[in-house]
Amino acid sequence: MPKSWKRLAIDTATDYVYLSLIENDREKENIIKSGNRDHSVTTIPLMAELLERNGWKLNELDEIIVGIGPGSYTGVRIGVTIAKMIGYLNHIKVSAVSSLALLASGSEAKIIVPLIDARRQNAFIAAFKQNNGKLEYMKPDCLANKEEFLDGMKPMDYEVVDSGKYNIEKIITSGLLISIENIHELVPNYLQMTEAERNIQQ
């Protein structure tokens, strides 16, 4: 009997920690837990709990899927750091995916606009079209004024998604995973300068 393909998905780019175990492209169980800016202390214990409950061990994983943002600067960094650490230490394949694509995956609408608030009327935002349960980009991830972006979507009928469940199976079948060949080249997609970087330029 062929060995099953075991994946762990991680995303910490929003106010929620998302963790999922996938076996042969089918999700076994997930955790979506609201955080209080404490992803750095909750993500690994939640991951350990999820693995133990399903009888999986880290060194049995075949692939790590990680949301690389855009989103919260600290949140994105936490998820990417955990994925790099697990992948490097256990020689596990790592694949990246847009955190906005993950947000969009939970919707069944034909046109989906996932967004993550970036303050000052701005948002990390993108647009996807969905056909037969597969997602395809219409507009790439960007940092934009939310109202201007949505005005640009008119007169199309679309659904805005800023929270909710993820459908990791849809992400896999839509071909939205990016295989990371060199783990050291895995970096977050911040889409904006940090406050320190802005201060340097002033």
Side-chain angles (χ1 to χ4, degrees), residues 1 7 25 37 41 51 60 71 87 111 133-135 150 155 160 165 170 178 194 196 202:
M1 183 176 180
R7 295 176 165 111
D25 297 347
R37 298 185 178 180
V41 297
L51 289 165
E60 295 175 340
I111 300 177
K134 291 190 176 183
L135 295 173
L150 295 179
V160 174
K165 295 182 178 180
K170 187 183 296 183
I178 303 166
T194 66
Q202 290 178 355

Side-chain angles (χ1 to χ4, degrees), residues 49-63:
E49 172 189 321
L50 182 63
L51 289 165
E52 182 177 1
R53 189 160 56 240
N54 286 273
W56 287 19
K57 296 180 180 178
L58 277 179
N59 60 10
E60 295 175 340
L61 295 173
D62 298 291
E63 184 176 2

Side-chain angles (χ1 to χ4, degrees), residues 38-149:
D38 59 354
H39 292 357
S40 62
V41 297
T42 60
T43 303
I44 289 179
L46 286 171
M47 182 178 66
E49 172 189 321
L50 182 63
L51 289 165
E52 182 177 1
R53 189 160 56 240
N54 286 273
W56 287 19
K57 296 180 180 178
L58 277 179
N59 60 10
E60 295 175 340
L61 295 173
D62 298 291
E63 184 176 2
I64 308 292
I65 298 170
V66 60
I68 58 169
S72 159
Y73 175 80
T74 302
V76 172
R77 186 174 57 188
I78 289 165
V80 169
T81 299
I82 291 172
K84 290 179 76 170
M85 176 184 67
I86 295 172
Y88 179 74
L89 294 178
N90 296 276
H91 306 288
I92 298 170
K93 172 183 173 63
V94 176
S95 295
V97 65
S98 162
S99 297
L100 289 172
L102 284 168
L103 267 177
S105 69
S107 172
E108 297 303 322
K110 290 185 177 180
I111 300 177
I112 309 158
V113 177
L115 67 83
I116 299 170
D117 182 62
R119 299 180 183 177
R120 300 174 184 172
Q121 287 76 55
N122 294 321
F124 301 110
I125 196 166
F128 291 84
K129 60 182 178 180
Q130 182 165 218
N131 186 28
N132 294 324
K134 291 190 176 183
L135 295 173
E136 182 181 339
Y137 271 103
M138 292 179 63
K139 295 187 178 183
D141 298 359
C142 65
L143 174 62
N145 178 278
K146 180 170 66 174
E147 294 305 320
E148 289 179 2
F149 187 98

